[in-house]
Amino acid sequence: MKLVDIIIPTYKPTKKLFEIIRLLEIQTYGINQIILMNTEEKYYNHLVYGTHFIKKYKNIQVCHLSKKEFDHGRTRDLAVKRSKADIFICMTDDAVPQDEFLVEELVKALEDPKIAIAYGRQISNEDCGVIEQFTRTYNYPEASMVKSGKDLPVLGIKTYFCSNVCAAYKKNIYEELGGFIKHTIFNEDMIYAAKAINSGYEIAYVSTAKVIHSHNYTNMQQLHRNFDLGVSQADHPEVFQGIPSEGEGKKMVKITAAFLKENGYKNKILPLYITSGYKLIGYKLGKSYKKLPHKLVHSLSMNKDYWRRNNMKLDSSKIDPTKGYGKTQEETEMNRR
């Protein structure tokens, strides 16, 4: 029996985390441990204070980091390094297992030696709007599928689609391929998925592995999110160049508008177009972020801390180690002797 660990980055976790842990503990396929990569210890302490959470769940490992240290790729990779399991499942702190078969279904899909990743189906929350509900159903249909490099001419960018909201990875293949990219604003899952596909592996979409997860973003939040999406694609032409995303977006809008019209939601079509406009503007600006002023880039991004870390990385890359860093000329000369 393969050992399975769960990895969940948390930031300002709510009581929903308790429900996620409870449902993970009753899975038909037993979990070895749950690794929480928590950003800002004070928020975690505020949640668990006065509860029996720590005493109740002995298989939870908590690693605290500051907000300035968090990175979508690096933080998850640090968690993988803490895991001794054969398979690890990445989740988010707002994705709730729908039933007790989530882990079993993901592990079952990974039995095929060609499959490196198996990601689950996301079902919308009851409080989300009809457009978000339809989008989730469209992106996460009832039929499972397996994707490989052969699907690129037909599926395009969706061949690489994978979501760390709920995705299982084989540890040995992860290490073979070098793991998640260590510094990225977004899309660490798709960048790794592209690497797996291009290395001859396959990705399984498992519709029977279900989590409840959706968002009620405002138009400006959609713009910020799609700006970061554009940035991630601009930074990784080796993955996204030659496979444009705009066509898939237009197709999504067209299909959603038809659905709204046919099902008595004509009043939602204009809001759909407006929201889609915000998404497109954000995405286009993100793709061209290198031409924009730094202050504008910072204001457009959803992940603002990324840019501070990115500037630190750029600054450090320009350091000449032979000349020292933060040292006087005299100190540098002494170190050379």
Side-chain angles (χ1 to χ4, degrees):
M1 187 173 179
K2 302 287 188 183
L3 282 181
V4 177
D5 283 348
I6 308 289
I7 293 170
I8 308 177
T10 60
Y11 176 57
K12 295 184 178 180
T14 67
K15 290 183 178 179
K16 184 178 282 189
L17 180 64
F18 295 158
E19 179 66 4
I20 294 169
I21 301 297
R22 184 187 71 79
L23 289 166
L24 288 174
E25 288 291 324
I26 63 170
Q27 293 292 301
T28 54
Y29 194 105
I31 294 166
N32 178 51
Q33 69 171 335
I34 298 170
I35 303 171
L36 301 181
M37 299 298 288
N38 179 70
T39 301
E40 299 296 342
E41 186 173 359
K42 61 185 177 182
Y43 298 121
Y44 173 82
N45 289 341
H46 178 75
L47 176 68
V48 303
Y49 180 77
T51 71
H52 298 289
F53 180 73
I54 298 173
K55 291 182 179 179
K56 185 175 182 180
Y57 301 112
K58 301 295 185 182
N59 65 335
I60 293 180
Q61 179 185 162
V62 184
C63 176
H64 296 293
L65 57 152
S66 66
K67 193 175 180 184
K68 64 183 180 181
E69 292 175 298
F70 177 82
D71 184 278
H72 283 285
R74 179 176 174 273
T75 298
R76 287 176 170 88
D77 184 69
L78 288 173
V80 176
K81 286 180 169 60
R82 287 171 169 264
S83 171
K84 303 299 182 185
D86 306 293
I87 294 168
F88 63 90
I89 300 175
C90 288
M91 296 181 66
T92 54
D93 63 1
D94 59 348
V96 181
Q98 191 187 55
D99 55 39
E100 68 271 30
F101 304 108
L102 174 70
V103 175
E104 180 182 340
E105 293 298 317
L106 291 173
V107 172
K108 191 187 302 181
L110 291 179
E111 289 176 357
D112 187 326
K114 298 188 298 295
I115 294 177
I117 315 164
Y119 69 98
R121 183 181 181 190
Q122 296 181 32
I123 297 171
S124 57
N125 286 285
E126 293 179 357
D127 65 347
C128 75
V130 63
I131 295 175
E132 175 71 1
Q133 289 179 22
F134 179 78
T135 300
R136 292 286 156 178
T137 303
Y138 178 81
N139 287 328
Y140 301 93
E142 291 186 5
S144 298
M145 70 181 299
V146 175
K147 299 179 290 185
S148 70
K150 296 177 182 178
D151 295 304
L152 279 166
V154 177
L155 295 179
I157 195 70
K158 293 200 80 172
T159 307
Y160 298 148
F161 182 75
C162 172
S163 175
N164 272 343
V165 165
C166 178
Y169 297 81
K170 287 178 180 171
K171 180 87 172 293
N172 62 329
I173 296 177
Y174 178 87
E175 292 175 340
E176 172 196 326
L177 299 179
F180 296 129
I181 186 168
K182 307 306 182 288
H183 183 62
T184 183
I185 192 169
F186 200 54
N187 263 347
E188 81 292 335
D189 38 22
M190 281 187 69
I191 294 167
Y192 175 81
K195 190 188 301 184
I197 289 281
N198 293 329
S199 298
Y201 292 107
E202 297 176 353
I203 300 171
Y205 163 60
V206 189
S207 65
T208 50
K210 296 170 282 191
V211 293
I212 300 169
H213 176 264
S214 58
H215 293 291
N216 290 313
Y217 286 138
T218 65
N219 286 333
M220 282 306 299
Q221 286 174 322
Q222 294 283 14
L223 186 148
H224 294 317
R225 187 176 188 276
N226 278 267
F227 178 83
D228 289 353
L229 173 63
V231 169
S232 73
Q233 294 195 11
D235 282 347
H236 296 282
E238 76 282 2
V239 175
F240 300 103
Q241 196 170 45
I243 313 178
S245 301
E246 292 93 329
E248 183 60 35
K250 290 176 183 177
K251 178 183 175 183
M252 180 75 231
V253 173
K254 186 177 180 180
I255 291 173
T256 306
F259 167 81
L260 294 172
K261 184 178 180 180
E262 292 169 6
N263 290 273
Y265 296 104
K266 289 184 178 180
N267 62 323
K268 300 290 185 181
I269 294 178
L270 180 58
L272 167 68
Y273 287 142
I274 293 172
T275 299
S276 300
Y278 274 84
K279 289 181 178 180
L280 182 60
I281 291 169
Y283 174 74
K284 290 285 190 180
L285 288 169
K287 289 276 282 187
S288 304
Y289 84 94
K290 293 177 183 178
K291 301 176 183 178
L292 303 177
H294 175 72
K295 285 186 178 180
L296 180 58
V297 168
H298 189 268
S299 66
L300 289 170
S301 179
M302 179 174 276
N303 187 0
K304 300 187 187 305
D305 282 322
Y306 170 82
W307 300 100
R308 186 196 60 77
R309 292 192 303 275
N310 199 48
N311 288 339
M312 288 173 62
K313 184 180 178 184
L314 289 172
D315 288 343
S316 63
S317 68
K318 297 173 184 175
I319 297 169
D320 182 348
T322 64
K323 296 181 179 179
Y325 182 60
K327 299 177 182 177
T328 65
Q329 184 64 32
E330 182 181 357
E331 288 173 327
T332 304
E333 290 297 329
M334 286 180 66
N335 288 338
R336 285 174 178 167
R337 293 168 189 167

